[in-house]
Amino acid sequence: MQKVLIIDFGSQTVQLIAKTVRQHHIYCEIMPHYASFNKIKEYSPSAIIFSGGNNSCYEASSPTIDKAVFDLGVPILGICYGFQLMSHLLGGTVTPSQKGEFGKTEVVLVGKSQLFEGVDDKFDVTMSHFDSVTTLPTEFTLTSSTANCKYASAECLSKKLFGIQFHPEVTSQFGQIILGNFLYKIAGLAGDWSLGEFVKSTVEQIKQRVGNKRVLCAFSGGVDSAVSAMLVHQAVGDNLFCIYVDHGFMRQNETEEVLQIFKQEKGLNLIAVDAKEHFMSKLKGVTEPERKRKIIGEEFIRVFEKEAKKLGNISFLVQGTIYPDVIESGSGSGEVIKTHHNVGGLPSVMDFEGLIEPVRCLFKDEVRSVGLELNIPMQIINRQPFPGPGLAVRIIGELTQEKVDIVRQADHIFRQEMQESKVENVWQYFAVLPDVLSTGVMGDKRTYAHTVALRAVCSVDAMTAEWAHIPYDVLERTSQKITNNIRGVNRVVYDITSKPPATIEWE
């Protein structure tokens, strides 16, 4: 399979590069800049893309890469910091600019380049840099400039090296065309990767790995775990056992709906485990979000281990880990945003031969598309994302049964109102219980009660999100129903923060 390798130098948009490459029907993965040269070589990429980053490549502590990568003989595209680093390592110079470029900037092409075929001589791009390439390495030629940046792009045809100072992965006039030119015209890739082929190859890989052994799936009923379960089920049939754990932090009616759909429609070996008291006791007194997630991650595994012993001879554990979980949990050059219970929250020792994570390399929208390939019911494919720890990470501070009941009821009211009002194009909406009490007046009496925060966002892949502009009348009705029907709540607020700077969840 032809593959593109994206080297991450700490870019905030590295996942957008990956998504754009996959939209061109080419498989790719992201690898941190500190990966060894041998690991890069073993990946056997057909092309390489260097991401941007927020460092200065000439500083000793800045991210770098083994120069041997330039001798692999595959085309390399450097974006922003990636272009600067390429120039710096190959003998050019990079210096701070007197004037930085941020946001929309006009680029003017110089001469002809395959990279810019089908692009206007002048076009707008997204820039974000203070440093600039001021001297090109030997054999590199200039291909475009801006008013403040002489070398907005350059190339070395003999070594198939290309550099651009701007960000084609960010929505721009010709970004898709430029990346497409690199992938197809320069790297000569076929663009023959598809999610249908992904299903076939993944099922075959699972068959080869598992053989006749028995497998247990951590099953939540969400699209990630459902797709993972169905892929494994195609590979191993009745040797798959799905364990649904009700940890007490599920949404209203969640357990009943999930069990009904999958027991009746999909014929899985589905076992439900009531572990409410166990999880609540383990989380007593815990307030720190990362600790909550890690405790929940470990206790999930312990429950699965216990159930596996009952079943006997279980060799593998299946999880619905997806690529955003991996990225946010710090796999790569970026910061740890939050430890997902199924990535960084896993215990170091588990009673399983190994993990199977069939959709670990996919973004959320890609997982949904695979779900369609597998004929999973639309109500599961379109089910709102719900974190593994559930309502536990929608309650700020210590968990109590009273708080869980409040946020569950508030969440149900909000979701019901959104559905009845037919508000469209919203990725996810839910209620949060901040650790905030405020003064109110109800029935002519003073109250000092909880605040409920409502959160709704628009997104495609969960890596970035915009707050949803919900009609005021919907918010007003939701607020009235929450304060009128839930004892202990006297105030409702609406979160209008996008991601970044916030995350979608509050914890």
Side-chain angles (χ1 to χ4, degrees):
M1 182 174 65
Q2 293 178 320
K3 300 176 290 184
V4 171
L5 179 61
I6 301 166
I7 305 294
D8 182 13
F9 292 97
S11 170
Q12 296 301 308
T13 60
V14 67
Q15 76 281 352
L16 296 181
I17 302 173
K19 282 193 63 62
T20 302
V21 172
R22 292 186 184 186
Q23 286 166 0
H24 282 285
H25 305 290
I26 297 164
Y27 184 73
C28 66
E29 289 186 22
I30 300 168
M31 198 174 287
H33 65 87
Y34 48 78
S36 69
F37 174 70
N38 284 338
K39 187 173 182 181
I40 293 172
K41 188 176 180 181
E42 285 170 7
Y43 183 76
S44 190
S46 302
I48 296 173
I49 298 176
F50 289 177
S51 82
N54 59 4
N55 295 88
S56 294
C57 65
Y58 45 79
E59 293 179 349
S61 60
S62 62
T64 189
I65 196 165
D66 193 322
K67 287 173 63 174
V69 73
F70 298 114
D71 297 321
L72 286 173
V74 301
I76 299 177
L77 173 65
I79 296 174
C80 195
Y81 180 90
F83 173 35
Q84 295 167 12
L85 181 65
M86 178 189 295
S87 300
H88 175 70
L89 293 175
L90 295 175
T93 56
V94 178
T95 58
S97 305
Q98 291 184 345
K99 186 177 181 181
E101 290 181 310
F102 298 92
K104 184 178 176 181
T105 306
E106 185 182 67
V107 164
V108 179
L109 296 184
V110 178
K112 298 292 183 181
S113 170
Q114 264 194 312
L115 193 64
F116 299 116
E117 284 188 16
V119 174
D120 292 348
D121 291 340
K122 296 180 180 180
F123 60 98
D124 292 332
V125 298
T126 299
M127 287 279 198
S128 183
H129 70 106
F130 269 121
D131 292 344
S132 296
V133 176
T134 48
T135 303
L136 291 174
T138 304
E139 296 187 57
F140 274 72
T141 57
L142 170 68
T143 55
S144 74
S145 300
T146 71
N148 298 305
C149 179
K150 180 178 179 180
Y151 299 111
S153 65
E155 63 188 30
C156 175
L157 293 177
S158 64
K159 294 182 179 178
K160 301 179 184 177
L161 304 179
F162 299 80
I164 50 179
Q165 186 57 65
F166 50 90
H167 290 270
E169 73 276 16
V170 178
T171 303
S172 59
Q173 194 176 3
F174 293 109
Q176 285 274 357
I177 293 177
I178 292 167
L179 285 171
N181 285 342
F182 174 73
L183 297 168
Y184 293 123
K185 297 180 184 295
I186 293 168
L189 303 179
D192 55 2
W193 180 75
S194 69
L195 291 175
E197 287 301 315
F198 168 82
V199 170
K200 292 178 185 176
S201 62
T202 300
V203 169
E204 188 57 36
Q205 288 167 16
I206 295 169
K207 282 182 181 178
Q208 292 177 7
R209 185 179 179 195
V210 174
N212 294 321
K213 294 179 180 178
R214 306 214 300 174
V215 180
L216 185 147
C217 177
F219 189 83
S220 71
V223 66
D224 303 333
S225 67
V227 169
S228 297
M230 295 309 298
L231 286 168
V232 176
H233 188 252
Q234 284 197 9
V236 305
D238 288 341
N239 277 342
L240 171 69
F241 297 85
C242 296
I243 304 295
Y244 175 88
V245 178
D246 186 347
H247 49 25
F249 310 121
M250 308 305 290
R251 291 175 290 199
Q252 194 150 311
N253 303 324
E254 188 104 15
T255 296
E256 295 79 6
E257 290 171 3
V258 168
L259 296 179
Q260 182 179 19
I261 290 170
F262 284 94
K263 278 190 173 179
Q264 289 183 358
E265 292 199 31
K266 307 314 288 185
L268 296 176
N269 293 324
L270 182 55
I271 301 166
V273 178
D274 185 341
K276 299 185 189 73
E277 292 184 8
H278 174 78
F279 275 85
M280 186 64 86
S281 66
K282 289 291 182 180
L283 291 163
K284 186 175 182 180
V286 177
T287 60
E288 207 278 318
E290 281 290 278
R291 197 165 160 235
K292 274 187 195 175
R293 287 176 174 273
K294 289 183 177 180
I295 289 172
I296 291 170
E298 176 162 356
E299 294 311 312
F300 263 129
I301 296 297
R302 300 309 170 216
V303 172
F304 297 140
E305 288 173 341
K306 183 178 178 181
E307 294 303 314
K309 286 178 181 176
K310 291 180 184 177
L311 293 167
N313 299 317
I314 297 291
S315 299
F316 294 93
L317 174 67
V318 178
Q319 291 197 137
T321 306
I322 63 174
Y323 216 7
D325 298 343
V326 177
I327 294 169
E328 287 193 336
S329 297
S331 178
S333 299
E335 295 258 343
V336 176
I337 306 301
K338 57 189 177 187
T339 300
H340 287 259
H341 75 284
N342 54 333
V343 185
L346 292 175
S348 57
V349 178
M350 299 185 291
D351 288 341
F352 296 101
E353 183 179 323
L355 279 175
I356 297 174
E357 297 174 311
V359 295
R360 185 183 176 93
C361 66
L362 300 184
F363 290 96
K364 178 69 85 171
D365 53 322
E366 294 172 329
V367 176
R368 294 191 197 281
S369 296
V370 172
L372 290 173
E373 293 273 345
L374 297 170
N375 296 316
I376 289 174
M378 288 302 297
Q379 63 193 105
I380 295 298
I381 290 174
N382 293 327
R383 185 172 177 247
Q384 281 195 40
F386 189 55
L391 301 177
V393 291
R394 292 180 179 172
I395 297 170
I396 312 303
E398 183 179 2
L399 299 173
T400 65
Q401 192 57 54
E402 178 199 14
K403 290 179 180 179
V404 173
D405 292 341
I406 288 173
V407 78
R408 181 181 287 123
Q409 292 176 66
D411 178 80
H412 180 65
I413 289 170
F414 186 28
R415 288 191 295 121
Q416 195 171 45
E417 184 60 42
M418 289 285 283
Q419 291 162 9
E420 290 175 359
S421 302
K422 296 183 176 164
V423 179
E424 298 181 342
N425 302 319
V426 181
W427 160 273
Q428 191 175 4
Y429 41 88
F430 54 88
V432 177
L433 191 67
D435 194 16
V436 175
L437 300 176
S438 67
T439 301
V441 55
M442 303 177 85
D444 294 326
K445 291 184 179 180
R446 177 186 183 275
T447 61
Y448 193 58
H450 288 287
T451 297
V452 165
L454 304 179
R455 177 77 160 144
V457 296
C458 302
S459 183
V460 174
D461 54 17
M463 293 305 302
T464 60
E466 298 293 329
W467 66 275
H469 294 237
I470 294 173
Y472 290 154
D473 61 321
V474 176
L475 291 173
E476 183 178 23
R477 285 195 299 272
T478 302
S479 176
Q480 288 174 344
K481 288 180 180 179
I482 289 174
T483 53
N484 287 345
N485 291 284
I486 305 177
R487 182 176 292 275
V489 177
N490 66 1
R491 190 179 300 271
V492 176
V493 298
Y494 185 52
D495 181 351
I496 60 168
T497 317
S498 295
K499 175 185 179 180
T503 56
I504 293 176
E505 299 288 344
W506 276 41
E507 283 198 343

